[in-house]
Amino acid sequence: MSESPVIDLPTPTSAADPFAAEHLENPEPLHRALREAGPVVHLTRYNVHALARYREVHAALVDWQNFQSGAGVGLADFRREKPWRTPSLLLEADPPHHDAPRRVLREILAPPVLRRLSETWQRVADELVETVLAERGPRFDAFEALAVAFPLRVFPDAVGLGPEGRENLLPYGNMAFNAFGPVNELVTADAHRAGGLTTWVNARCAREALGEDGFGARIWAAADRGELTHEQAPLVVRSLLTAGVDTTVHGLAATLHAFATHPDSWQRLRERPGLARVAFDEAVRRQSPVQTFFRTATTDVTIAGTVVPEGSKVLMFLGSANRDPARWTDPDRFDLTRDPSGHVGFGMGIHQCVGQHVARLEAETLLTALVRKVDRIEPDGDPRRHLNNTLRSWASLPVRIRPAA
Ligand code: OVM
């Protein structure tokens, strides 16, 4: 008697380029096709294995032993290609090297520490909303006026950044998030600025460039206590400046867009302002500001019957996992009654966004300010996307509001 046969189905393939403008502009159709094709899809164009279902994305994220970050979390393989900058000690590192920088940053960005900021941030948010309503009237671009303006007002101050050159922060982040993808038009268009932006950011990470009381100074103080080396400190500061600005800007824009297009949800938030945090997480789930990250297989790994060869890149579609109908009921809906926890918009496992509490505090204070002063928010024309290889980003979000009586 033979044992029941193991049927080896071939791994589905796709010739699609997920970094092509049409998919960056509107990724959902490709995500749906990849999820339906199978748990693992070979992308022939880049010779990478794509995961678009929640189950496999989640499994890869928590399995740092088989799926390493140290070879880069973009398409480039750091073991064969020179990275465009010194790799991040957090994002592009594995245990044990990853752990000390992670511990330091986790403590500096922990919720009890952030509570000290919330009063100031609430006041800044209240003032910003008041000024926008007074000076721009009922119609304005919520992307520029709120989603960009608010994080740029509070976050660089919290890091301890000086006033000069803050306009470089968003372009630097845009460049860093493009660099996770292929060297396409989005990357080459910015190449002439890369040197200048990198020099500026690196100089901001020095101890002398940072204020005495901020996240940056606390990173240096951790180095003085021996929790990090003094060589590591500036790179950890750089992580804040790379990962902490564009992400929150586009996450807040996603949240504002969700409310503008779901007026019933805005009314619900007005009745229960305590929903601000869960609303932000639901918007992060639904829009996934960080759409994709790669890992590299450390050995031949079998995922749902497909052997992913050692050394090959695995592309995780966080945005697709966050709308996988096998995991989420009515996944495309922005729904304040659902529990969005478990979404992979901040990742999962040992690399899960260490700044997520900062992002939630920004969202909470901005939404709280808005809900106090705005009865209604609605779209005023079509929003415009900005294309980036990794970030689901915005260029404008025209809205019309009705001020509270
Ligand atoms: C970093 C870094 C950069 C980009 C993204 C990120 C989302 C981290 O430099 O550590 O996490």
Side-chain angles (χ1 to χ4, degrees):
M1 289 291 284
S2 64
E3 299 188 7
S4 58
V6 175
I7 302 167
D8 264 324
L9 293 174
T11 303
T13 65
S14 166
D17 177 3
F19 304 97
E22 64 163 312
H23 298 308
L24 296 178
E25 184 79 45
N26 178 28
E28 274 85 31
L30 175 65
H31 291 172
R32 193 172 311 122
L34 292 173
R35 281 194 307 263
E36 286 171 6
V40 184
V41 182
H42 184 244
L43 298 184
T44 53
R45 180 173 171 122
Y46 298 112
N47 187 30
V48 302
H49 288 86
L51 312 178
R53 296 184 182 175
Y54 181 88
R55 180 198 294 269
E56 281 73 28
V57 168
H58 185 280
L61 282 168
V62 298
D63 184 359
W64 58 267
Q65 292 93 337
N66 282 314
F67 301 101
Q68 64 155 319
S69 292
V73 298
L75 179 62
D77 182 349
F78 289 0
R79 296 169 313 172
R80 291 184 284 130
E81 299 162 69
K82 186 173 148 46
W84 71 282
R85 58 173 197 168
T86 307
S88 163
L89 300 180
L90 291 128
L91 182 73
E92 295 154 335
D94 300 299
H97 315 288
H98 158 271
D99 302 341
R102 170 79 189 196
R103 192 174 313 119
V104 166
L105 213 46
R106 188 178 21 125
E107 283 168 13
I108 291 171
L109 305 178
V113 183
L114 297 183
R115 241 168 261 144
R116 284 185 265 160
L117 288 170
S118 81
E119 222 173 285
T120 310
W121 287 14
Q122 192 59 65
R123 193 173 59 245
V124 175
D126 287 332
E127 281 166 14
L128 174 67
V129 169
E130 195 149 306
T131 309
V132 167
L133 298 192
E135 292 179 0
R136 305 206 194 203
R139 302 174 65 202
F140 58 90
D141 180 356
F143 177 69
E144 285 300 334
L146 300 173
V148 171
F150 184 59
L152 280 180
R153 210 154 290 184
V154 293
F155 185 72
D157 282 349
V159 173
L161 212 65
E164 300 289 302
R166 291 182 174 195
E167 69 280 2
N168 290 316
L169 286 168
L170 283 171
Y172 181 80
N174 184 57
M175 183 174 75
F177 280 97
N178 272 330
F180 296 123
V183 184
N184 57 15
E185 165 65 22
L186 293 172
V187 173
T188 56
D190 262 0
H192 66 285
R193 316 175 64 186
L197 290 170
T198 302
T199 303
W200 181 81
V201 163
N202 290 346
R204 304 278 75 71
C205 299
R207 172 170 243 162
E208 312 75 60
L210 294 159
E212 279 171 23
D213 180 35
F215 301 147
R218 280 173 226 152
I219 290 168
W220 280 99
D224 291 344
R225 294 193 300 269
E227 297 167 20
L228 286 175
T229 69
H230 286 92
E231 287 69 46
Q232 289 178 312
L235 280 169
V236 176
V237 178
R238 193 193 66 179
S239 283
L240 290 180
L241 300 181
T242 312
V245 187
D246 298 61
T247 48
T248 50
V249 163
H250 297 295
L252 292 175
T255 310
L256 296 173
H257 177 255
F259 277 117
T261 51
H262 296 74
D264 48 324
S265 294
W266 186 253
Q267 293 319 314
R268 196 175 165 82
L269 183 69
R270 290 180 61 220
E271 288 154 21
R272 296 179 53 189
L275 288 172
R277 274 172 182 262
V278 79
F280 177 64
D281 267 89
E282 169 65 351
V284 170
R285 178 198 68 79
R286 183 164 168 274
Q287 285 284 325
S288 303
V290 176
Q291 285 273 297
T292 46
F293 269 132
F294 292 79
R295 294 289 188 259
T296 309
T298 56
T299 177
D300 291 351
V301 199
T302 304
I303 309 177
T306 290
V307 177
V308 177
E310 188 270 325
S312 68
K313 286 276 175 175
V314 176
L315 172 50
M316 307 176 296
F317 284 90
L318 309 178
S320 174
N322 280 339
R323 291 196 189 208
D324 183 348
R327 170 63 180 80
W328 309 97
T329 307
D330 206 353
D332 296 336
R333 230 181 70 201
F334 178 69
D335 181 358
L336 291 190
T337 67
R338 88 162 82 234
D339 175 7
S341 62
H343 76 73
V344 291
F346 289 122
M348 196 56 73
I350 66 166
H351 291 283
Q352 193 184 40
C353 180
V354 72
Q356 59 185 284
H357 309 295
V358 183
R360 289 203 187 94
L361 183 60
E362 289 181 34
E364 180 182 34
T365 49
L366 181 61
L367 287 176
T368 300
L370 264 182
V371 90
R372 284 172 182 165
K373 299 194 182 77
V374 171
D375 269 0
R376 246 187 9 213
I377 176 165
E378 58 190 41
D380 185 30
D382 289 332
R384 272 186 307 114
R385 289 283 179 185
H386 168 77
L387 300 191
N388 181 283
N389 281 332
T390 303
L391 290 176
R392 188 142 168 73
S393 31
W394 304 80
S396 78
L397 200 56
V399 297
R400 180 195 293 272
I401 60 99
R402 190 177 72 191

